[in-house]
Amino acid sequence: MLPMDLLVNRELSWLEFNKRCLSEALREDVPLFERLKFAAIYFSNLDEFFMVRVGSLTDQSIMDPDKLDDKTGWNAAQQVQHMLEMIHSFEPMTEEMYQSLLTEFKQNGIDFIHFKKISKMDEMIAQKYFNEEIKPLLSPQIVDRHHPFPFLRNKEKYVVSCHITKNGGERFGIIPIGHLPDYFVIHFDGRAKVLFTCDIIEHYLEQLFTKQKIIERVTIRVTRNADIAVDEALLDYDMDFRGVMQELLKKRRRLSAVRLQMSGKSEKIQKYLCEHLEVGKLAVFIQKIPLDFAFGFSLPGKVQKNDMALFYPERRPQLPVAYQNNTPIRQLAEEEILLAYPFHSYSPFLNMLYEAAEDPEVVSIRISLYRLAGHSKVVSALCYAADRGKDVLCMLELRARFDEQSNIDYSAILEQAGCRVIYGLSDYKVHAKLCVITRKDADGNVSYTTQIGTGNYNEKTSEQYTDLCFITNEDAVGRDATKIFNNLAIGETTEQTESLWVAPHCYRTHVLELLDREIAIQKNGGHGYVAIKVNSFNDVGIMEKMVEASQAGVEIHLYIRGICCLRPGVKGYTDHITIRALLGRYLEHSRIFVFGEGERQRIFIGSGDLLNRNTQRRVEIFAEPKSEAIRKQLLYILETLEMDNCQSWLMQPDGSYTRIACREGERPLNSQMKLFDAFTRDAAERPNPRGSATARSEKVEIQQTMELLRTKEQVGEPVPAKQGLFKRLFRRLFGK
């Protein structure tokens, strides 16, 4: 057992990661709108943290109060307390960030209107918007013994007021505003003025409660527990897995509250809401800044500021020269292929699917899907392949958190297109990124093209996350991939393979074996070496083995973006371990494992982190590239991360992080930009979107969207943002 002071609590480590996101919003060398986006990411991450981690531990504190964290020995209630205290400690930093943004916005002709200091002209504008755009859509409600307390929806804002009645009593008013725009932008006299809807309503509240005396008013926002698991009891009913998930999504909407945000102090309103929501005092956050920063994602397009200095310089994914001659992927893959996103275009992978659809020798396409784009070109390609008579098997994981409804919709679309859809295993999420295309020639010879990735089949995030796409024609890899899909189709996990690592049975064991190998080499006078890049790390068994390796003298370099529960540089335990976290323009997402040096060196890439859930409770896939050129590229990625002095943080022995600063006289090195240059040096601009694969897919996209509309209509559900896409595609084809 490792001593407790060598380990960091999982939740607090994640909060340290989110604090690093907030730090990016404070950097003066980051363009203004990018700073605003980092602020939005920080608060969006925090929402999910409350819904999932705080929610699950709150439940655990009730259902299993004596269960202890294996890193710190804290029970669930203690963990929640430490988490909430840490989040509260970030509040001065969030206020500093917001004030810094407001100052820079003002310098760039963008004014955020505050009603405590408002000019007569701005007051006239606000009054006009209230009367014409807001007031007709409001439904004020009084809550007293005759009017029950309403259900407050997750992450929606409400204006709440406390009123004095004629006999001196109190009652409360609640106005839902979640159906209204968060803010309005008015362009006036060469400046953009931003007015938050909740501020306007608070300011003109007396015009809604004309005969009542209002003594307190605030805007509030409630965050609810969203950590739902598949209820085994539901599986006993005559209901398919898709139906089970639909029922659970309905249940999620009404789970208990875990956080209450308020725009100002109001003891009466706070006490009243805490009683009704059953929220403790520590879970109440009184904020001097907006309760929700989602506006940070959309504001740049609304203020109409085209100054490119407010954004990162444009970087477009490039198409490797090898693809310029329209050479089929199956031929290129004879030497193995590595695509590095977001530096490379996603179109080669899409082209591979369309090539397979039109190749008469292709028998089947099998693919595992986890998170898809809002209107997925991958799904369009798979539908096209099924329409061309290919056997298309889609392993679609319906339990991808917060993408459940999207995946349910896509499962219906894929089935209607003729694809076979399976939903994975009841005990394990399928998080693998695996696609195998099987061919059979006229002589009966079977061959494969297999793709293993570190990121989702999502063309949108491929331009935002750093990920790797490995394609090979190696028969052993193809046989393993086929075996994995066959096992998934009959509800079984894969325990033995020829080439691939497959969690939950043959991923963790291989990592431990290779760590043991490096320990043995170090003890026998050699130089043990390990370098691992993952997003998160909390598997105690692997941490114990790494401590053993460090004590033996093995050199270990870890590149971990988010959660890391092991402290580096602790004398006598982790002296030979360094841990770097990189946070920049793109979200670091690729996973790379390097064991050893020279001829014995082995390098793997794949889909899983070193979290307990990845090593023990999910299906993950890892491949070992054989191409010397690809191996050099993977090593170059890690070497470049090691040299970064612009976006890197170094984890300290106490678990805190220190930014690695560029020393005086030292040349700045931003690893993401250096890698972008390196991977696109021999590349060309990605092809015109009217190119063959895209043009071919547009018809499929139209058909897919129409099927979605029909599916939604049949069950009486509204169609979400895909309606807008349908209109855009319609205009593109018909010019209307």
Side-chain angles (χ1 to χ4, degrees):
M1 286 290 293
L2 296 174
M4 289 293 185
D5 59 1
L6 194 61
L7 304 176
V8 179
N9 175 263
R10 179 194 193 280
E11 319 308 339
L12 300 190
S13 180
W14 184 91
L15 287 171
E16 279 285 352
F17 156 69
N18 208 34
K19 183 182 179 182
R20 294 194 290 277
C21 293
L22 181 60
S23 296
E24 291 298 299
L26 277 160
R27 290 184 63 163
E28 294 182 358
D29 58 336
V30 173
L32 175 59
F33 283 140
E34 307 296 347
R35 291 177 59 195
L36 179 63
K37 186 169 73 172
F38 274 113
I41 290 170
Y42 168 82
F43 286 102
S44 175
N45 286 347
L46 202 56
D47 283 347
E48 185 170 334
F49 182 77
F50 271 98
M51 290 189 289
V52 178
R53 302 308 304 172
V54 177
S56 64
L57 284 170
T58 300
D59 286 346
Q60 185 181 308
S61 69
I62 299 169
M63 304 299 294
D64 194 1
D66 297 325
K67 183 177 179 179
L68 302 181
D69 171 44
D70 60 357
K71 314 295 187 307
T72 58
W74 299 335
N75 62 29
Q78 289 171 322
Q79 290 184 74
V80 171
Q81 180 175 345
H82 284 292
M83 291 150 61
L84 294 177
E85 289 173 350
M86 190 170 183
I87 296 168
H88 277 291
S89 74
F90 295 164
E91 290 179 331
M93 191 174 172
T94 63
E95 292 170 12
E96 179 189 352
M97 173 273 299
Y98 187 56
Q99 290 304 317
S100 173
L101 287 176
L102 290 181
T103 300
E104 192 169 346
F105 273 121
K106 193 174 188 65
Q107 293 169 356
N108 284 276
I110 303 169
D111 301 322
F112 283 67
I113 304 303
H114 295 281
F115 285 88
K116 290 182 180 179
K117 299 177 182 178
I118 188 169
S119 68
K120 291 183 178 180
M121 179 58 69
D122 290 342
E123 175 86 39
M124 291 173 61
I125 293 172
Q127 181 74 67
K128 174 181 171 62
Y129 266 82
F130 177 73
N131 291 336
E132 297 180 4
E133 304 288 341
I134 298 175
K135 188 175 180 180
L137 301 177
L138 297 180
S139 300
Q141 176 182 344
I142 287 295
V143 182
D144 55 21
R145 61 180 181 176
H146 301 295
H147 303 85
F149 187 82
F151 178 79
L152 305 182
R153 294 177 178 271
N154 184 39
K155 299 196 299 181
E156 290 194 7
K157 291 193 280 290
Y158 298 80
V159 173
V160 181
S161 51
C162 179
H163 305 189
I164 296 295
T165 62
K166 292 180 180 179
N167 58 9
E170 296 176 357
R171 62 178 180 178
F172 296 87
I174 296 181
I175 306 174
I177 60 175
H179 59 291
L180 296 172
D182 274 350
Y183 63 95
F184 296 91
V185 177
I186 299 98
H187 296 275
F188 181 78
D189 199 21
R191 302 187 69 84
K193 297 180 180 294
V194 182
L195 296 93
F196 288 109
T197 304
C198 55
D199 292 344
I200 298 174
I201 295 172
E202 278 192 49
H203 186 67
Y204 296 111
L205 203 57
E206 278 81 2
Q207 296 183 30
L208 298 172
F209 299 100
T210 56
K211 298 181 179 180
Q212 302 178 35
K213 183 179 180 181
I214 300 171
I215 58 171
E216 293 180 359
R217 69 192 78 194
V218 291
T219 300
I220 68 159
R221 184 172 182 263
V222 175
T223 313
R224 293 188 175 275
N225 182 358
D227 187 53
I228 56 170
V230 176
D231 187 349
E232 296 295 335
L234 279 174
L235 300 178
D236 295 335
Y237 292 94
D238 186 18
M239 184 186 296
D240 65 12
F241 194 41
R242 192 160 64 195
V244 170
M245 292 308 301
Q246 290 278 25
E247 290 300 313
L248 289 175
L249 291 179
K250 293 177 184 177
K251 178 182 176 182
R252 172 186 282 170
R253 300 184 191 117
R254 302 193 68 84
L255 293 180
S256 61
V258 292
R259 175 178 61 166
L260 170 63
Q261 295 168 271
M262 299 176 61
S263 64
K265 290 184 178 180
S266 171
E267 293 183 5
K268 296 180 184 297
I269 294 175
Q270 180 177 334
K271 180 181 178 182
Y272 177 74
L273 291 175
C274 285
E275 289 175 354
H276 281 81
L277 296 171
E278 298 181 347
V279 171
K281 187 176 181 179
L282 200 57
V284 178
F285 291 79
I286 299 171
Q287 299 181 197
K288 299 177 182 178
I289 63 176
L291 305 186
D292 177 13
F293 266 73
F295 70 91
F297 295 115
S298 59
L299 184 65
K302 297 289 183 65
V303 296
Q304 300 175 12
K305 289 287 179 179
N306 298 319
D307 184 356
M308 297 312 297
L310 301 179
F311 300 89
Y312 285 128
E314 184 178 13
R315 290 271 190 167
R316 291 172 58 81
Q318 307 292 296
L319 189 69
V321 171
Y323 299 94
Q324 297 297 304
N325 299 322
N326 295 320
T327 306
I329 290 282
R330 62 181 294 190
Q331 294 180 25
L332 292 173
E334 290 177 5
E335 295 297 325
E336 298 186 339
I337 295 170
L338 183 72
L339 296 173
Y341 307 129
F343 323 124
H344 287 148
S345 168
Y346 201 75
S347 60
F349 176 73
L350 291 172
N351 284 339
M352 184 179 82
L353 296 178
Y354 281 107
E355 287 169 11
E358 296 175 346
D359 187 340
E361 291 185 357
V362 168
V363 177
S364 65
I365 302 172
R366 293 174 170 82
I367 190 169
S368 59
L369 303 173
Y370 195 75
R371 296 189 194 277
L372 294 155
H375 190 75
S376 173
K377 293 182 183 297
V378 174
V379 169
S380 295
L382 296 171
C383 292
Y384 180 79
D387 186 59
R388 299 288 289 177
K390 308 304 178 185
D391 176 19
V392 180
L393 175 69
C394 302
M395 194 350 281
L396 184 58
E397 180 54 76
L398 296 185
R399 294 165 293 184
R401 200 187 307 272
F402 304 125
D403 277 87
E404 296 97 341
Q405 188 59 59
S406 174
N407 287 0
I408 288 169
D409 292 340
Y410 276 128
S411 69
I413 291 167
L414 288 162
E415 286 178 347
Q416 289 169 358
C419 302
R420 289 190 293 137
V421 180
I422 58 176
Y423 303 126
L425 310 171
S426 59
D427 296 329
Y428 303 96
K429 277 188 182 181
V430 180
H431 188 251
K433 322 304 180 192
L434 180 66
C435 176
V436 58
I437 297 167
T438 306
R439 295 178 181 83
K440 187 174 183 180
D441 64 20
D443 297 326
N445 299 313
V446 176
S447 62
Y448 310 93
T449 298
T450 309
Q451 182 269 344
I452 298 96
T454 67
N456 294 299
Y457 295 107
N458 187 317
E459 60 274 13
K460 181 179 179 181
T461 56
S462 75
E463 297 190 8
Q464 301 167 346
Y465 299 179
T466 67
D467 269 312
L468 299 167
C469 170
F470 172 63
I471 302 172
T472 178
N473 284 341
E474 185 182 343
D475 285 343
V477 174
R479 287 192 295 270
D480 281 349
T482 301
K483 181 179 181 179
I484 291 163
F485 280 111
N486 288 343
N487 284 338
L488 289 172
I490 61 174
E492 296 180 0
T493 54
T494 301
E495 298 186 7
Q496 292 184 333
T497 55
E498 297 178 59
S499 178
L500 298 176
W501 288 357
V502 188
H505 302 297
C506 25
Y507 164 33
R508 190 173 189 263
T509 52
H510 283 306
V511 172
L512 293 172
E513 287 169 2
L514 288 170
L515 285 169
D516 276 329
R517 188 192 70 166
E518 295 307 303
I519 292 171
I521 287 167
Q522 185 73 32
K523 288 181 176 179
N524 289 324
H527 179 235
Y529 177 81
V530 175
I532 296 176
K533 179 181 185 293
V534 290
N535 302 320
S536 301
F537 181 21
N538 80 336
D539 185 300
V540 172
I542 295 177
M543 285 194 285
E544 289 175 341
K545 186 61 66 178
M546 283 194 181
V547 170
E548 182 184 342
S550 176
Q551 290 172 326
V554 176
E555 180 184 351
I556 301 176
H557 296 269
L558 303 180
Y559 307 89
I560 303 173
R561 182 198 76 214
I563 296 166
C564 182
C565 295
L566 180 66
R567 301 179 194 264
V570 177
K571 191 173 181 179
Y573 290 98
T574 56
D575 311 66
H576 295 92
I577 299 176
T578 60
I579 300 175
R580 279 176 166 77
L582 190 132
L583 185 67
R585 174 173 181 170
Y586 305 110
L587 181 74
E588 289 293 330
H589 196 253
S590 58
R591 288 95 170 186
I592 306 172
F593 290 69
V594 179
F595 299 93
E597 297 175 318
E599 293 183 358
R600 79 171 193 275
Q601 187 174 73
R602 301 193 68 183
I603 305 176
F604 295 83
I605 64 170
S607 59
D609 293 319
L610 289 175
L611 290 172
N612 293 323
R613 68 185 187 191
N614 302 106
T615 60
Q616 301 169 51
R617 300 194 301 275
R618 288 187 174 184
V619 176
E620 307 280 7
I621 306 293
F622 289 81
E624 182 177 18
K626 302 298 193 301
S627 162
E628 190 60 30
I630 290 177
R631 292 163 63 85
K632 286 181 178 178
Q633 286 178 312
L634 296 174
L635 292 173
Y636 181 73
I637 290 173
L638 298 183
E639 291 167 3
T640 306
L641 296 181
E642 185 75 18
M643 294 186 294
D644 189 296
N645 56 16
C646 294
Q647 303 292 155
S648 281
W649 299 72
L650 197 63
M651 189 177 185
Q652 303 301 310
D654 63 357
S656 64
Y657 286 79
T658 302
R659 187 188 292 279
I660 298 175
C662 184
R663 299 188 188 96
E664 186 177 350
E666 188 178 41
R667 187 175 180 179
L669 192 149
N670 183 315
S671 59
Q672 292 183 344
M673 296 304 101
K674 185 175 177 63
L675 289 170
F676 211 119
D677 292 337
F679 276 103
T680 59
R681 190 173 297 123
D682 298 321
E685 283 279 347
R686 58 184 171 183
N688 189 308
R690 301 294 298 181
S692 59
T694 305
R696 197 160 49 229
S697 70
E698 284 184 352
K699 178 181 177 183
V700 181
E701 289 180 354
I702 288 286
Q703 293 171 343
Q704 177 187 331
T705 309
M706 292 178 70
E707 289 297 333
L708 176 68
L709 290 168
R710 292 194 193 101
T711 303
K712 286 288 192 178
E713 282 180 347
Q714 288 170 4
V715 296
E717 294 183 10
V719 181
K722 295 183 177 71
Q723 279 180 321
L725 181 85
F726 176 73
K727 292 176 182 177
R728 291 197 298 275
L729 289 169
F730 190 90
R731 285 196 298 270
R732 184 188 299 170
L733 287 185
F734 302 108
K736 297 180 181 179

